[in-house]
Amino acid sequence: AFLAVYEDDQAKIESTDIDYDTTSPTFGFPKFYSVNVPAATGGSDWKKVHASRIIHVADNTTSNPLIGEPRLLRIWNLLDDLEKMTGAGAEAVWQLANQGYQFNIDSDAEMGPEEEAAMRTQMDQFMHNQRRYLRTRKVSVNTFGSETADVSNNVDTCLSLIAGSVGIPKRILLGSESAELASSQDKANWNRRVMDRRESWCETVVVRPLVDRLIKYGALPQPAEYQVEWPEVADMTLAEKADIAAKWAALNKDAGEVVVSGDEIRDKVLGLAPLAESNVDVLLPVVGA
């Protein structure tokens, strides 16, 4: 109830609020933030908030740990290029598919001003789809032909550059699951990247500082220690889960001893709760009975 998230334009840092004391543990960081908080009478108002009440999160930081880089900044020009390509591609298709016509008048044909004006009117009506026929005398009509513009290679190159810049496999970025082997590899690589992001950044920069701050000021009880757990990112199908469960169960037989228990398989692989004590006697036969 007492937590709120503020974007950078809602939580500004004034140069006069930076801690310039080289002996201070917060040297180089703000002592106060100017936060735009909602006002009781409506609207909002800027308030000075002490740094002890702020968790500063800056992603993609460069030389300045206080300032993060917008996630779209590195691909902004590529997104602009992609929009230009698709827009120009549509226009190119129209220009090339809209075939032109040549009206060839025989050299020995005699045509007065009125007849020439009437023919010109017919041509304009034909070109603007006001009529679909021409009545001509000693005039042949030739077409220039048409083509289809193909911008797929350019668009694919741009998408590859975007995927490489953000570190997301192109098949994951576009949602394409063609080419099963390559797609499986991309998915595994992406899952590893997500886990690295969670453990090396989200946990150390966001989760633990927040929990530690809440413990420090008594909002949470003081534990001996705590662990940060994340949900599984690998989204396996039922067939994949069943296959792994069978292999884990086979470890016990191959090793001649219990390597993994049934409850561990249910929890880690199948995502099921442990069997109730009342069900164990029914499902597992008693040896020697």
Side-chain angles (χ1 to χ4, degrees):
F2 300 98
L3 289 177
V5 178
Y6 293 89
E7 298 183 8
D8 56 348
D9 60 342
Q10 299 293 316
K12 298 180 179 180
I13 302 173
E14 305 292 343
S15 59
T16 55
D17 292 330
I18 300 293
D19 187 356
Y20 294 105
D21 183 4
T22 55
T23 63
S24 173
T26 60
F27 169 69
F29 285 85
K31 294 182 292 184
F32 292 91
Y33 291 80
S34 297
V35 180
N36 191 14
V37 297
T41 57
S44 59
D45 192 13
W46 290 94
K47 299 290 185 182
K48 288 284 188 179
V49 179
H50 193 265
S52 61
R53 302 182 66 180
I54 299 288
I55 299 294
H56 190 123
V57 178
D59 197 6
N60 301 318
T61 55
T62 54
S63 58
N64 189 344
L66 299 178
I67 307 299
E69 180 182 286
R71 189 169 297 277
L72 292 179
L73 179 62
R74 69 186 68 176
I75 62 170
W76 190 258
N77 289 336
L78 292 173
L79 293 174
D80 195 22
D81 292 341
L82 181 62
E83 186 175 14
K84 291 176 183 177
M85 289 178 190
T86 54
E91 179 64 18
V93 169
W94 165 249
Q95 293 290 347
L96 293 176
N98 186 22
Q99 60 185 3
Y101 296 91
Q102 176 196 23
F103 297 91
N104 188 23
I105 303 175
D106 292 346
S107 58
D108 58 348
E110 295 182 0
M111 186 177 300
E114 294 182 359
E115 189 175 3
E116 182 178 348
M119 178 171 292
R120 193 179 300 276
T121 300
Q122 283 192 77
M123 292 177 183
D124 290 339
Q125 292 174 344
F126 179 78
M127 293 302 298
H128 293 290
N129 293 322
Q130 294 176 341
R131 67 162 69 197
R132 298 310 301 162
Y133 66 91
L134 288 173
R135 184 173 60 188
T136 62
R137 180 173 61 85
K138 292 188 177 183
V139 176
S140 57
V141 181
N142 302 317
T143 62
F144 291 145
S146 61
E147 300 177 14
T148 301
D150 184 8
V151 297
S152 59
N153 289 334
N154 295 335
V155 170
D156 185 69
T157 300
C158 190
L159 289 174
S160 298
L161 292 174
I162 291 174
S165 299
V166 298
I168 302 176
K170 190 165 69 172
R171 288 184 178 87
I172 302 297
L173 180 65
L174 301 180
S176 173
E177 292 299 329
S178 59
E180 180 64 26
L181 178 60
S183 177
S184 300
Q185 293 173 346
D186 287 341
K187 187 175 181 180
N189 292 336
W190 175 242
N191 289 340
R192 284 195 295 270
R193 181 177 173 84
V194 171
M195 287 303 301
D196 290 341
R197 165 81 173 177
R198 287 174 168 180
E199 295 173 0
S200 64
W201 191 84
C202 294
E203 178 175 339
T204 58
V205 178
V206 182
V207 178
R208 286 191 175 273
L210 174 61
V211 174
D212 292 343
R213 186 73 60 83
L214 295 176
I215 293 173
K216 179 179 179 180
Y217 292 107
L220 290 177
Q222 176 70 52
E225 62 176 342
Y226 66 90
Q227 299 295 329
V228 178
E229 294 187 359
W230 300 94
E232 291 291 335
V233 296
D235 187 15
M236 294 185 295
T237 64
L238 289 176
E240 291 173 336
K241 291 180 179 180
D243 181 61
I244 294 177
K247 291 179 179 179
W248 280 30
L251 287 175
N252 298 334
K253 179 179 179 181
D254 295 339
E257 59 180 348
V258 177
V259 180
V260 289
S261 67
D263 285 343
E264 288 177 321
I265 296 176
R266 292 176 61 86
D267 177 37
K268 301 296 184 182
V269 180
L270 301 179
L272 301 175
L275 290 173
E277 292 294 334
S278 59
N279 293 333
V280 174
D281 294 337
V282 177
L283 297 177
L284 299 180
V286 179
V287 178

